[in-house]
Amino acid sequence: MKKILKSTLLLACGVCLFSACSDDNDSNPTLQTPTRFVLNTPALAANGVYDLANSTTVELTCSQPDYGFPATTQYTVQVATKQDMSDAADLGTTFTTAKMAVPADELASTLTDLEVQQGKEETKDFPMDIPVYIRVKANLLTANGDPVANTEILSNTVTLKQVHLLFSLPPVTAPEHLYITGEQFDNFKWDNAVEMAPVHSHPGVYWHLVWIGSQGIKFNAAKAWDGNEVGFAGITKSGELADQIIDGGGNIASNKPGWYLMVVTCTVKGRDLLYDVRFEQPNVYLMGKATVGGNWEKGEKAALFTVPTTADGEFVSPAFAQTIPTGDDSGIRAYVDLGFDWWQSEFMVFDKKIVYRGTGGDQSRVAGDAGQKLYLNFQKETGEIK
């Protein structure tokens, strides 16, 4: 019967905070470069089984690097699945003592990620029993808790001969939000990015009207340059205007700058997010009693908005055919046609701001008088009836 272990992880003992101090001779401690830093081999590393799913922590111990004086030291645990440590990854939890409990769940998720990067699959290869290689990186810390340059030293590597590893990564899901930035948003500043609208009843589908020029755009699930932003290489393009979309130095650019209806469909394949992006005519429509037809038929040509020729221009509706009060079915209604029910991609202006229905319930009604028009600025996300 295999032994279930919690081993001993170590971070070296950062004893006291280093600060320059004077003795009677007005001398200061001298920083020296450590030459030896030992990570101790846990007693059960060779013969025991580390069952990470049924452990809380794994413990290690190590010696303290000799910097020439007692000093606060930061210890970072590095783990690898290859004996030469060529795939070593830092754990996020760091320590300032020579004896430390490493979270077993963090160790498991890091090892799972390393295995996935090497082609292992959740349903095919897990659970698995593997050797795991561990070493510790030590750095002297300043009074502010920052690592001191050129004080890093690596310990020896120890082997945990048998680690029982379950798949320990959270499921990959379509992002809850997608944001677009580009040349027109103050030269790719995420603070000015617009958020794509999710499509009602169609998880993983988002849309927005966007100006695409020669420098192009990118989109991301966060308003940040965090390495997950998606450019030309990260999409499969489709749609009526797909031929106009080109690689703009890694960005999604156009050889015919102008407005596009951009529809992103995100699907999950394994641990990857795949993005199919449709580029369609930038058609915006009125719907309902404000239209010339006065009915609820989708795609009425007389209900089309005019399309601006500049990035900061306004989409303008036809004049309302009649005065529209608010009521259960009455009110000014607008939408883009994504090939679904029109209300699944509708929106309206409230307090001069464009508000998308998205995945929410029915929107409040907005009144309009005969002859008035709806003006929309999709770059600033503003609008007005006048």
Side-chain angles (χ1 to χ4, degrees), residues 225-238:
W225 296 107
D226 59 3
N228 296 313
E229 57 275 0
V230 181
F232 185 83
I235 69 171
T236 300
K237 62 178 182 174
S238 60

Side-chain angles (χ1 to χ4, degrees), residues 245-258:
I245 302 302
I246 60 173
D247 186 350
N251 298 326
I252 301 167
S254 173
N255 57 20
K256 292 185 178 180

